[in-house]
């Protein structure tokens, strides 16, 4: 949605199940994940002005992500991963496993926030 022009546009993506949209500089990160099944291992970087996009595929699923500067933090089923984004490639810098114990052992984590 263009707030300056008060106009809604449809964007075409190369992957299915668009879920979360995050602004990144003059582009958008779009996660691709079906939250009911937890399936989806891709993120698109979309230029809304030109419609061009690039797809990044991961070995883990992409439930949610957050950006901070040139870092992308991705929540999967069992970890949070930190990627450095150089404008072209994603470089894994750190990964932290998530263990759910006790009463919640059959649960799941569906979101996180950066502090």
């Amino acid at each position: 949605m263009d707030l300056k022009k008060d106009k809604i546009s449809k964007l075409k993506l190369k992957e299915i199940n668009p879920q979360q949209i995050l602004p990144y500089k003059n582009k958008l990160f779009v996660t691709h994940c079906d939250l009911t099944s937890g399936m989806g291992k891709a993120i698109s970087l979309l230029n809304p002005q030109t419609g061009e996009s690039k797809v990044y595929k991961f070995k883990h699923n992409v439930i949610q992500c957050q950006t901070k500067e040139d870092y992308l933090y991705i929540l999967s089923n069992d970890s949070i991963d930190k990627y450095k984004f150089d404008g072209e490639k994603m470089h894994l810098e750190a990964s932290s496993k998530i263990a759910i114990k006790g009463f919640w052992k059959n649960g799941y984590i569906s979101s996180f926030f950066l502090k």
Side-chain angles (χ1 to χ4, degrees):
M1 180 171 188
D2 185 332
L3 297 176
K4 292 179 184 173
K5 297 178 183 176
D6 202 24
K7 181 181 174 186
I8 296 175
S9 302
K10 188 175 184 179
L11 301 171
K12 293 189 180 211
L13 298 168
K14 298 174 186 175
E15 292 286 318
I16 62 170
N17 295 324
Q19 180 60 34
Q20 182 183 12
I21 300 172
L22 292 165
Y24 176 76
K25 298 185 179 179
N26 62 341
K27 298 181 181 177
L28 300 170
F29 278 119
V30 180
T31 65
H32 300 279
C33 182
D34 178 346
L35 292 180
T36 56
S37 69
M39 303 302 289
K41 298 181 178 186
I43 295 177
S44 295
L45 181 60
L46 174 72
N47 182 331
Q49 302 300 320
T50 65
E52 293 178 22
S53 67
K54 180 172 181 175
V55 176
Y56 296 89
K57 298 207 176 197
F58 300 89
K59 292 180 181 178
H60 52 76
N61 63 354
V62 180
I63 294 174
Q64 183 193 1
C65 68
Q66 294 291 326
T67 59
K68 186 171 183 179
E69 297 165 4
D70 288 329
Y71 290 95
L72 186 68
Y73 299 84
I74 300 174
L75 172 67
S76 69
N77 284 339
D78 63 354
S79 67
I80 294 179
D81 301 296
K82 177 184 178 183
Y83 289 87
K84 173 79 171 168
F85 183 62
D86 66 11
E88 191 61 33
K89 294 185 179 181
M90 301 277 181
H91 306 278
L92 181 63
E93 289 207 347
S95 182
S96 181
K97 291 290 182 192
I98 300 169
I100 301 174
K101 298 177 183 176
F103 177 75
W104 295 103
K105 68 182 175 193
N106 294 322
Y108 61 93
I109 297 173
S110 60
S111 64
F112 72 103
F113 64 92
L114 296 178
K115 185 170 134 175

